[in-house]
């Protein structure tokens, strides 16, 4: 490639550190697609002949078939996917292959290929996110009124329902989906034609190549075209946030499947045993979803560190932009698939969850609200009275509903027997009908809402 300038070839160390073909071969589909669009534009503008175009199209189709069949001779000495394909093309079709690189550089070529790859990855992950949302919805629909404890600080707080809990993750994933779709809009500009950094003197038609590749238009500044990797950073940021949501659910599954909780059970296909303890059923799929979040977040931080000190425009540092993105996309895809599978496999223990829903004086807020509604007390005073009643129940070893009316009236004489109507977890849940609240009728309505949106 550098024969006109360099008398000697690179050293073995230089070849090793410089080559990217070991990982950027993943871009081969995008590279061929971009080259086809570029060649057609060159022919349409009269820069190459129709005969050259036909030869290039035929040669690239044959190369695609070779790669698909696993017969392509990847060569590390040719550094990257771009030179590997171009060299093979020239080998196949001769001089016409050498004309393909007219009016472009590897700088705009890789920027285009990478945008195409990230765009394809977003489309695939978006479909998986929607499937995962449907898996959460399936559980929510079956368990709109299934009682379970709601937690703050990992302590029982108020009763909720499993359906409402599942819908929280639907909301999180919907925002993840929005972030990926927003990122796709911003990346959907075509750098091809920016050449090395300053554009080209050839009469190219960048709008034509952009349209053929499905971009909204060409990038507007040639320097930014080859220097920008914020589209990859935004992709990684969306991936890291999405992974953190999946990790939170994975952590809950790890807790819920433990004997101490016993809220749900996962089948044999998504758990593992122990080499020494025959009783074990380990939630390894959930644990690995939790762990892979570190890889995805690490990829984001890694690329931020690569890009933070680079003056315009292209620098070889930017070769480090791809491995983390490839790995993060694959890891997130696997996490989404595993999460959807666990949701469809898990079997909630409804009785165990319902029993736990009333633990820890979880209806205390309902008692305080009753004092405000029925006795017209200021909330802070009602809060204080409820706290004294909780202390009394705790000292007697019972829950709030276990206190006698006389015992309650020792703290607040105006309390009536009607208070017992709000002291069950089911009553607590049913009362929370404010928009977004946990009442079963709300949960059912929200399931319908998301079913309609997801189609």
């Amino acid at each position: 490639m550098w024969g006109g300038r360099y008398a000697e070839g690179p050293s073995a160390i230089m070849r090793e550190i410089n080559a990217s073909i070991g990982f950027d071969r993943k871009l081969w589909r995008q590279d061929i697609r971009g080259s086809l669009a570029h060649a057609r534009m060159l022919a349409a503008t009269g820069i190459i002949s129709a005969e050259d175009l036909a030869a290039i199209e035929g040669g690239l189709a044959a190369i695609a078939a070779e790669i698909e069949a696993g017969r392509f001779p990847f060569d590390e000495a040719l550094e990257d996917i771009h030179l590997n394909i171009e060299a093979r093309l020239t080998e196949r079709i001769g001089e016409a292959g050498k004309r393909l690189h007219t009016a472009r550089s590897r700088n705009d070529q890789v920027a285009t290929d990478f945008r195409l790859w990230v765009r394809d990855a977003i489309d695939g992950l978006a479909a998986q996110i929607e499937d995962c949302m449907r898996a959460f919805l399936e559980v929510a629909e079956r368990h709109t009124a299934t009682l379970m404890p709601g937690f703050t600080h990992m302590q029982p707080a108020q009763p909720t329902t499993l359906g409402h809990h599942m819908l929280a993750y639907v909301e999180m994933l919907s925002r993840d989906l929005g972030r990926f779709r927003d990122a796709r809009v911003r990346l959907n500009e075509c750098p091809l034609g920016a050449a090395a950094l300053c554009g080209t003197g050839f009469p190219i038609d960048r709008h034509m190549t952009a349209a053929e590749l499905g971009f909204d238009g060409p990038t507007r500044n040639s320097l930014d075209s080859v220097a920008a990797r914020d589209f990859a950073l935004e992709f990684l940021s969306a991936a890291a946030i999405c992974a953190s949501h999946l990790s939170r659910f994975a952590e809950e599954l790890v807790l819920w499947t433990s004997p101490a909780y016993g809220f749900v059970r996962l089948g044999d296909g998504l758990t593992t045993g122990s080499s020494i303890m025959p009783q074990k059923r380990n939630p390894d799929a959930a644990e690995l979803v939790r762990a892979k979040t570190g890889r995805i977040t690490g990829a984001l931080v890694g690329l931020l560190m690569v890009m933070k000190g680079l003056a315009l425009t292209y620098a070889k540092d930017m070769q480090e932009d791809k491995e983390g993105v490839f790995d993060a996309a694959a890891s997130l895809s696997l996490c989404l698939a595993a999460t959807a599978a666990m949701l469809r496999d898990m079997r909630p223990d409804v009785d165990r969850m319902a029993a736990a829903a009333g633990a820890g004086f979880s209806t205390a807020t309902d008692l305080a609200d009753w004092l405000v509604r029925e006795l017209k007390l200021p909330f802070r005073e009602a809060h204080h009275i409820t706290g004294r009643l909780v202390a009394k129940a705790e000292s007697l070893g019972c829950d709030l509903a276990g206190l006698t009316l006389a015992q309650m009236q020792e703290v607040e004489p105006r309390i009536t027997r009607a208070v017992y109507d709000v002291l069950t977890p089911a009553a607590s849940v049913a009362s929370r009908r404010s928009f977004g609240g946990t009442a079963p009728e709300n949960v059912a309505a929200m399931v319908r809402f998301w079913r309609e949106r997801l189609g």
Side-chain angles (χ1 to χ4, degrees):
M1 177 182 60
W2 306 320
R5 171 67 178 83
Y6 280 74
E8 298 179 7
S11 70
I13 293 173
M14 186 61 200
R15 284 197 302 272
E16 179 70 20
I17 197 170
N18 198 45
S20 60
I21 189 60
F23 54 86
D24 71 10
R25 65 179 65 187
K26 286 181 180 287
L27 297 174
W28 72 265
R29 288 184 178 84
Q30 291 77 22
D31 195 74
I32 288 176
R33 187 178 174 195
S35 289
L36 285 169
H38 184 66
R40 288 163 185 160
M41 181 275 296
L42 292 177
T45 54
I47 297 170
I48 65 172
S49 68
E51 293 75 19
D52 284 342
L53 173 60
I56 289 169
E57 288 180 326
L60 289 174
I63 288 170
E66 279 187 325
I67 298 175
E68 286 277 17
R71 297 194 308 268
F72 186 85
F74 290 106
D75 184 354
E76 188 176 280
L78 292 171
E79 293 187 20
D80 56 34
I81 188 62
H82 323 297
L83 291 181
N84 267 264
I85 288 176
E86 184 181 326
R88 183 64 171 154
L89 181 66
T90 302
E91 191 178 291
R92 278 183 161 275
I93 67 172
E95 289 293 314
K98 296 179 181 179
R99 293 192 174 95
L100 175 59
H101 207 53
T102 306
R104 75 175 182 186
S105 161
R106 282 189 298 169
N107 293 357
D108 63 333
Q109 188 178 1
V110 70
T112 303
D113 292 356
F114 199 18
R115 283 184 188 238
L116 288 171
W117 193 95
V118 171
R119 192 176 72 184
D120 290 343
I122 287 174
D123 292 343
L125 289 169
Q128 282 194 273
I129 290 171
E130 288 185 331
D131 180 64
C132 204
M133 291 172 70
R134 290 188 183 96
F136 276 108
L137 277 175
E138 289 160 16
V139 180
E141 193 165 32
R142 290 194 302 270
H143 296 281
T144 56
T146 298
L147 295 173
M148 68 171 289
F151 297 92
T152 62
H153 307 275
M154 283 307 297
Q155 305 296 315
Q158 294 176 347
T160 185
T161 69
L162 180 57
H164 196 55
H165 197 102
M166 295 295 99
L167 286 172
Y169 286 101
V170 174
E171 296 288 341
M172 292 181 214
L173 288 172
S174 74
R175 295 192 295 273
D176 294 324
L177 187 61
R179 272 183 281 272
F180 276 117
R181 286 175 171 165
D182 289 347
R184 193 190 193 284
V185 170
R186 272 183 288 280
L187 74 78
N188 205 37
E189 296 179 341
C190 184
L192 200 58
L197 72 161
C198 288
T200 177
F202 289 96
I204 62 172
D205 184 348
R206 293 190 62 208
H207 289 84
M208 177 182 171
T209 49
E212 176 141 346
L213 292 170
F215 288 107
D216 295 330
T219 50
R220 292 174 295 278
N221 182 284
S222 62
L223 303 178
D224 178 59
S225 300
V226 300
R229 291 297 184 272
D230 53 330
F231 66 90
L233 289 168
E234 191 167 7
F235 171 82
L236 288 172
S237 178
I241 295 170
C242 182
S244 75
H245 290 152
L246 300 179
S247 182
R248 295 182 75 174
F249 179 63
E251 168 67 8
E252 291 188 322
L253 278 182
V254 170
L255 293 173
W256 293 354
T257 55
S258 69
Y261 280 76
F263 286 180
V264 302
R265 180 182 175 87
L266 291 172
D268 293 349
L270 290 163
T271 57
T272 64
S274 165
S275 63
I276 189 173
M277 296 170 285
Q279 84 282 9
K280 294 298 292 297
R281 180 185 289 272
N282 299 321
D284 281 7
E287 290 172 0
L288 287 166
V289 168
R290 188 175 60 184
K292 285 183 183 295
T293 302
R295 292 175 67 145
I296 297 167
T297 304
L300 169 62
V301 174
L303 185 53
L304 282 167
M305 293 303 99
V306 167
M307 298 303 299
K308 69 174 183 61
L310 296 186
L312 297 182
T313 55
Y314 182 83
K316 197 67 172 183
D317 308 51
M318 292 162 69
Q319 184 168 287
E320 296 295 315
D321 60 356
K322 297 171 198 65
E323 286 182 280
V325 170
F326 294 159
D327 184 77
S331 294
L332 182 57
S333 176
L334 186 55
C335 289
L336 285 163
T339 300
M342 287 187 289
L343 283 162
R344 290 175 172 130
D345 178 75
M346 73 179 196
R347 297 294 177 264
D349 186 329
V350 174
D351 294 337
R352 181 88 176 234
M353 296 174 84
F361 306 103
S362 64
T363 58
T365 308
D366 299 277
L367 172 54
D369 289 346
W370 186 89
L371 293 171
V372 170
R373 284 194 309 271
E374 302 301 323
L375 303 187
K376 310 304 180 188
L377 295 175
F379 182 79
R380 284 299 168 205
E381 185 176 344
H383 185 284
H384 180 71
I385 291 169
T386 302
R388 290 175 61 194
L389 289 168
V390 167
K392 179 182 282 287
E394 193 170 40
S395 69
L396 295 171
C398 64
D399 58 17
L400 287 169
L403 291 172
T404 66
L405 181 60
Q407 288 168 333
M408 288 192 182
Q409 289 175 339
E410 290 173 3
V411 175
E412 171 48 64
R414 291 174 291 172
I415 292 177
T416 67
R417 187 165 297 281
V419 74
Y420 291 101
D421 292 339
V422 302
L423 294 184
T424 65
S428 173
V429 164
S431 72
R432 301 194 180 277
R433 293 185 295 273
S434 59
F435 185 81
T438 197
E441 63 197 68
N442 286 13
V443 175
M446 201 54 63
V447 168
R448 291 192 298 273
F449 169 83
W450 280 112
R451 285 284 188 205
E452 291 171 6
R453 288 196 67 172
L454 288 171

